[in-house]
Amino acid sequence: MTGRAAVPEVIWSRPERTGRGPRPAFTRADIAAAAVRIADAEGLDAVSMRRVAGELGCGTMSLYNYVPRKEDLYELMMDAVSGEHELWEPSGDWHADLVRVGHQTRALMHRHTWLPRLMSPVYGFSPNALRYLEHCLACLDPYDAPYGTKMELVAMVNGVVTTYVANEIATAERTRTLPWSEEQENATRLAYLGRQVASGAYPRLAASFAEDAGPIDLEAVFERALTRVLDGFA
């Protein structure tokens, strides 16, 4: 929006309403929910101030009274879905609890496939995100390490999950656009790969495939990725 002062601002430091004048027609939760509905249905690129205003039945310019920037809208969206995290009583087994965190985050990203695109420390300090981070640190209470190390561990778990899920989502999106079935695609690629490996030019790959020809258990791969990160810190 033109004319805004070029100064840093955190939307959470702004009061939702000043207490003067008529009661606002919408809350931040209303705005976030509308934006999330659009993103879930059509993808993040479909989210705009105009689209959200239309979803709410208000004018685009009036929406700026609630959300000064599109980046603030993204922050509201991130906070809304962060509120879906289950915050359980830590079990005392930090390794198991962090694995559970990883699986829960993966499920959350599959519910909101646009989420990996917004995973950034910039959007990591909203009220619900802070509650989630505090929960992760509570799970790590039995882990004898400085808080800096614990924060690195949480960040690394989130990084592994984000990267893994982003690849899963990209693969699923590509599969949906194919003019043939996923089975036909895989069969063709595997046949080509088999011919290349059988040529003798790739002896180590040949040995690898002879050792384990698949299929790959993607759930087990995800579990091992999480476990290896946590084992590295342990």
Side-chain angles (χ1 to χ4, degrees):
M1 183 178 178
T2 58
R4 270 192 302 111
V7 294
E9 186 180 50
V10 178
I11 191 168
W12 310 111
S13 66
R14 291 166 51 99
E16 188 156 1
R17 65 187 301 256
T18 63
R20 297 180 179 179
R23 179 179 295 276
F26 309 105
T27 65
R28 286 174 180 166
D30 296 329
I31 295 168
V36 168
R37 285 196 299 271
I38 294 168
D40 286 348
E42 303 176 45
L44 187 62
D45 292 336
V47 176
S48 67
M49 300 295 272
R50 183 184 297 276
R51 281 296 307 278
V52 174
E55 182 82 6
L56 293 170
C58 69
T60 303
M61 296 308 295
S62 66
L63 191 61
Y64 282 103
N65 293 325
Y66 301 88
V67 187
R69 305 177 305 157
K70 189 174 183 179
E71 292 81 1
D72 294 322
L73 181 61
Y74 287 158
E75 190 147 0
L76 293 181
M77 294 169 67
M78 290 291 288
D79 184 65
V81 299
S82 293
E84 297 179 26
H85 279 289
E86 177 191 359
L87 308 181
W88 61 88
E89 184 67 27
S91 68
D93 181 343
W94 67 266
H95 192 288
D97 281 341
L98 265 291
V99 168
R100 183 175 174 181
V101 165
H103 280 285
Q104 181 181 237
T105 303
R106 182 187 179 200
L108 179 65
M109 289 183 177
H110 276 291
R111 288 198 300 273
H112 306 289
T113 55
W114 47 270
L115 189 53
R117 286 181 57 184
L118 291 185
M119 289 299 289
S120 162
V122 173
Y123 302 120
F125 299 101
S126 67
N128 282 326
L130 288 174
R131 281 190 283 272
Y132 161 75
L133 183 56
E134 178 69 17
H135 169 70
C136 291
L137 292 175
C139 291
L140 288 170
D141 276 347
Y143 177 44
D144 185 17
Y147 276 109
T149 301
K150 293 179 181 182
M151 293 286 281
E152 287 178 14
L153 175 50
V154 174
M156 193 165 291
V157 168
N158 282 331
V160 168
V161 174
T162 301
T163 301
Y164 196 92
V165 174
N167 183 64
E168 288 182 310
I169 292 170
T171 299
E173 288 293 330
R174 181 184 181 278
T175 298
R176 279 194 286 271
T177 64
L178 293 175
W180 45 73
S181 71
E182 183 180 4
E183 291 74 20
Q184 289 174 306
E185 168 88 0
N186 290 339
T188 299
R189 290 189 174 277
L190 285 172
Y192 167 79
L193 181 59
R195 292 193 299 271
Q196 297 306 305
V197 171
S199 71
Y202 311 101
R204 295 169 184 81
L205 280 176
S208 173
F209 288 122
E211 183 179 283
D212 185 1
I216 299 173
D217 184 344
L218 296 178
E219 296 302 316
V221 171
F222 179 74
E223 189 81 20
R224 285 197 297 272
L226 278 180
T227 298
R228 284 169 178 163
V229 167
L230 298 175
D231 287 349
F233 279 80

